[in-house]
Amino acid sequence: MSFFVSLPISNQKIFMTSPSISQLLAAFQAFFILAFFTSPGLGADEPMFKSTTAVRAQTRYNQSSAAASKRFVDELDRTLAYALKAGALEEANQINEAKKQAASGSTVTEDFKRANLIAARNQYRDSLVSAKGQYFRDLEPALRETTKAGDLQEANTIDAVRKALESEVADGKVTGKIENGLRLGIGDKTSVWENKPISLPSNKTAVTFDGVLLLTGKVRSVKLRSAKASGSERLKFTVDGKLCEFQMEGNHRYVVVTPLPGSDKLRLHLGDSIAANEWVFGPLEWAINDGKWREIPQRSMIAVE
């Protein structure tokens, strides 16, 4: 048996009814504009690529992230007008802080109470994750081209950006190295799994696989399985913190995962079994959207320390 792991209020009206609010709102907007154009994500700290492919990837990312920021900030501005008109200074300050975070391209951490702000914040978060995942993939051919051309400095610059993107895509939970493959734990020993078939021990030996799986394209659903598994198949499989229910396809077991809207990653965890006694496990395969099984490239799996 095989183991598958598959009503905006116009500013004019507000200003006419309350000049003091008009001045406060204008001050908020002026501060945001200054912050936006001096933020690290859009300023001189960006790498200056020579590679045409890398420049194109960077331009695409900047356009995507700027569009996400604008959508979010537009919604924040609309709600800021309401908050100021109602005299809700605390909420207005919270909204302005979110605008500063969005201007810098960072995650917005404000704990909103209004449903429209919560939805806008979540959409902004998902859009940024998607843009970073796309940037990571777009830089891969640029890295290959510059390496083959012998431009070591440019290749190292591109590689550094890709590693930084990997860290962010992996939720920033990185204290050491980032490696291609999943983190494999057997008993008290850990290593990076190369997505090859391995024999697993029996007799209740603890076995775990952990890491981040980078997706590609416009993903609607993902099926995951182990291509050459055999044994009792008692390992539990968790994706993005949720325990998956297995389905059957012939003699194979697999799971179907629907990524979060805009997400380009899945956080995988296999283990926590009371009797991890598979005989053979691996390699992992996926079927994205079209249902065709393919082995997952090792570069799409990230192990973090």
Side-chain angles (χ1 to χ4, degrees):
M1 186 181 294
S2 294
F3 190 103
F4 278 52
V5 204
S6 158
L7 322 167
I9 299 177
S10 69
N11 289 342
Q12 182 179 5
K13 182 177 180 180
I14 296 174
F15 297 161
M16 290 174 62
T17 58
S18 179
S20 60
I21 291 176
S22 168
Q23 294 171 356
L24 184 56
L25 181 57
F28 274 128
Q29 291 173 330
F31 181 86
F32 170 73
I33 292 171
L34 177 62
F36 186 86
F37 287 105
T38 58
S39 64
L42 299 173
D45 290 340
E46 282 194 336
M48 299 296 293
F49 294 127
K50 294 183 293 182
S51 161
T52 302
T53 305
V55 170
R56 188 163 54 244
Q58 186 181 59
T59 300
R60 181 180 183 179
Y61 167 70
N62 284 339
Q63 290 172 342
S64 298
S65 57
S69 293
K70 184 180 185 305
R71 283 195 303 268
F72 185 39
V73 169
D74 285 348
E75 185 63 28
L76 290 174
D77 277 334
R78 284 191 288 268
T79 309
L80 178 59
Y82 284 110
L84 290 172
K85 184 178 181 181
L89 182 59
E90 183 177 351
E91 184 179 33
N93 282 323
Q94 185 184 43
I95 293 172
N96 192 58
E97 183 61 31
K99 289 176 66 173
K100 289 190 289 184
Q101 293 170 353
S104 67
S106 60
T107 302
V108 174
T109 58
E110 294 302 310
D111 184 19
F112 295 122
K113 300 299 187 291
R114 292 180 188 262
N116 68 302
L117 292 183
I118 294 173
R121 180 197 61 199
N122 292 345
Q123 182 186 27
Y124 169 69
R125 175 203 60 201
D126 293 341
S127 296
L128 279 190
V129 170
S130 179
K132 289 173 182 177
Q134 187 65 56
Y135 193 17
F136 174 84
R137 293 189 298 274
D138 287 347
L139 284 176
E140 184 178 0
L143 180 59
R144 289 198 304 266
E145 291 169 6
T146 54
T147 301
K148 289 181 180 179
D151 191 339
L152 183 59
Q153 182 177 0
E154 179 76 350
N156 283 331
T157 299
I158 295 172
D159 189 50
V161 174
R162 293 187 84 242
K163 283 184 168 59
L165 289 167
E166 280 183 323
S167 175
E168 293 187 48
V169 170
D171 297 330
K173 299 176 181 178
V174 179
T175 58
K177 292 188 297 184
I178 303 172
E179 302 178 74
N180 287 332
L182 298 182
R183 184 72 57 192
L184 167 65
I186 300 180
D188 58 356
K189 296 181 179 180
T190 61
S191 60
V192 175
W193 186 45
E194 297 180 352
N195 202 29
K196 295 179 180 179
I198 60 172
S199 298
L200 298 181
S202 58
N203 301 324
K204 301 183 180 180
T205 302
V207 177
T208 60
F209 293 80
D210 289 279
V212 175
L213 183 61
L214 297 181
L215 304 176
T216 183
K218 295 182 179 180
V219 180
R220 299 184 300 275
S221 65
V222 182
K223 293 200 298 186
L224 297 167
R225 76 179 186 182
S226 174
K228 299 179 180 179
S230 64
S232 62
E233 301 175 0
R234 298 182 183 178
L235 296 177
K236 297 179 181 179
F237 200 87
T238 304
V239 179
D240 290 336
K242 297 180 180 179
L243 185 63
C244 296
E245 296 291 335
F246 289 104
Q247 301 183 40
M248 296 297 296
E249 186 176 78
N251 293 326
H252 300 296
R253 303 173 86 186
Y254 67 95
V255 298
V256 176
V257 181
T258 302
L260 296 173
S263 179
D264 273 358
K265 66 179 178 181
L266 298 172
R267 183 170 288 279
L268 307 183
H269 176 75
L270 172 66
D272 297 334
S273 175
I274 59 172
N277 54 352
E278 299 301 313
W279 300 335
V280 177
F281 184 83
L284 280 180
E285 293 184 331
W286 60 13
I288 299 179
N289 299 337
D290 61 6
K292 295 181 181 179
W293 290 105
R294 302 176 181 86
E295 185 172 323
I296 301 175
Q298 192 174 347
R299 66 177 180 274
S300 296
M301 300 185 294
I302 303 176
V304 298
E305 290 183 343

